[in-house]
Amino acid sequence: MMNQRQIEKDWNHLIKSEEKFLNRNLHIKSTGWQEKIDHLIPKKLNQTMNIAFFKAFGLIFEKGTGLIEKTYNREKREQNYKINEFAAEIKNSRKAMKEFGKQAKISKNTNLMISIFEGVGMGAFGMGLPDIPLFLAVLLKSIYEIALTYGFSYDSKEEQIFILKIIETALLHEDELLDGNVLLNNWIKEQVAFDITRIEQTRKTSNQLAKELLYLKFVQGIPVIGIVGGISDMVYQKKIADYALMKYKRRFLERKR
């Protein structure tokens, strides 16, 4: 049996991390440069991006997960989780418990580096919209690896809805962020099926991504200058991955409490 005192310490640390994330992202931060280029953005760009994200999600969930898994060894990661869990049970120490988070952070940071090269590379050639499938592939790769590190799969539609909700919620603000965070935490605790289909949640998540990345993807579509927009890929990848790590750690600790 894992050390319950240590699990509670990790739980309390997680709660503080979540509170910091919520406080940091609660309010929308206005940027002057967005207002200056607002008149340049095509009226249909938001809708176009929305559709692009929606189609990319569908393609990856239906046919692309196998390709993403070729970039890492899923079986080895599942074995590593079992080894780490066994070690945590036997050693009953903080060091053994920290191994889960350590491996999750390594995966997250590795994928952030991939995101930088991918985003900057596409931005240098002025490729904003074509970057969307690659952006999502790297993002989902990061979340998949975090999930496996904490002993969770991502194959079922219910798990995919959970992933989509993580992405959407990480980009929300104000009461929507608070409400979305509570909804995810309740699902983690109660494990009651979501009252939304994967297609419906895909639309919501795609809409939020399009809304949040509108200005940056527009800038990324301008050759050379688009490098700035490409760097933003890493910023959003980190934000979502940080939130995903907290939610999977919460699921892991909830299961052990």
Side-chain angles (χ1 to χ4, degrees):
M1 184 70 176
M2 289 186 184
N3 189 317
Q4 289 300 309
R5 182 178 296 179
Q6 185 56 57
I7 290 174
E8 288 305 316
K9 285 184 179 180
D10 287 347
W11 178 264
N12 292 332
H13 183 268
L14 172 66
I15 297 301
K16 291 179 181 179
S17 296
E18 286 194 359
E19 288 176 352
K20 288 181 180 179
F21 181 91
L22 295 175
N23 291 332
R24 190 167 58 246
N25 296 285
L26 189 59
H27 302 295
I28 300 175
K29 299 175 183 177
S30 59
T31 54
W33 70 268
Q34 290 183 349
E35 296 176 359
K36 292 179 180 179
I37 67 170
D38 190 67
H39 67 286
L40 298 174
I41 297 179
K43 294 181 179 180
K44 292 185 178 181
L45 180 59
N46 184 276
Q47 181 182 0
T48 302
M49 285 178 58
N50 201 330
I51 294 172
F53 277 118
F54 180 80
K55 289 184 176 180
F57 272 125
L59 183 63
I60 292 172
F61 284 147
E62 296 300 331
K63 300 178 180 179
T65 295
L67 293 176
I68 292 175
E69 288 180 337
K70 291 183 182 298
T71 64
Y72 58 87
N73 189 326
R74 176 173 180 171
E75 184 177 351
K76 183 177 180 179
R77 289 180 182 275
E78 290 173 334
Q79 290 175 346
N80 285 343
Y81 167 76
K82 293 177 181 178
I83 292 171
N84 290 334
E85 186 177 42
F86 180 74
E89 293 279 0
I90 299 300
K91 294 181 180 179
N92 226 346
S93 66
R94 176 166 177 75
K95 183 177 180 181
M97 283 289 291
K98 286 178 68 175
E99 192 62 30
F100 296 99
K102 179 181 177 181
Q103 292 192 10
K105 288 178 181 178
I106 290 174
S107 294
K108 184 195 74 172
N109 292 334
T110 299
N111 287 309
L112 285 179
M113 294 302 298
I114 295 173
S115 176
I116 292 174
F117 289 117
E118 174 264 321
V120 171
M122 298 293 272
F125 292 100
M127 301 176 72
L129 290 179
D131 170 67
I132 286 176
L134 290 176
F135 173 86
L136 288 187
V138 176
L139 178 60
L140 290 175
K141 176 180 183 292
S142 182
I143 295 176
Y144 288 171
E145 291 181 34
I146 290 171
L148 293 174
T149 299
Y150 281 108
F152 297 99
S153 181
Y154 43 77
D155 301 309
S156 71
K157 288 187 178 181
E158 188 76 1
E159 288 291 338
Q160 290 165 1
I161 293 173
F162 178 68
I163 290 171
L164 288 165
K165 281 192 174 293
I166 284 176
I167 297 171
E168 179 197 14
T169 306
L171 300 177
L172 294 174
H173 303 282
E174 308 292 346
D175 289 342
E176 288 184 327
L177 171 58
L178 299 178
D179 293 343
N181 188 63
V182 169
L183 188 151
L184 279 172
N185 289 347
N186 287 341
W187 182 85
I188 289 170
K189 184 176 182 179
E190 305 295 338
Q191 288 292 298
V192 177
F194 288 115
D195 60 350
I196 190 171
T197 66
R198 191 184 69 180
I199 291 179
E200 291 171 335
Q201 184 57 52
T202 302
R203 293 190 189 283
K204 290 185 64 180
T205 303
S206 298
N207 180 63
Q208 190 60 34
L209 279 164
K211 179 181 176 182
E212 192 75 10
L213 274 65
L214 177 63
Y215 291 91
L216 295 169
K217 287 301 174 188
F218 171 73
V219 172
Q220 192 177 7
I222 304 173
V224 182
I225 297 176
I227 292 175
V228 177
I231 293 174
S232 70
D233 277 7
M234 182 272 293
V235 175
Y236 282 97
Q237 292 270 356
K238 182 180 185 307
K239 184 178 182 179
I240 296 170
D242 284 344
Y243 190 67
L245 197 153
M246 287 188 288
K247 290 305 155 188
Y248 277 105
K249 185 175 181 179
R250 176 180 274 264
R251 288 182 72 179
F252 171 79
L253 292 175
E254 189 74 70
R255 189 167 61 183
K256 301 300 180 185
R257 294 176 81 196

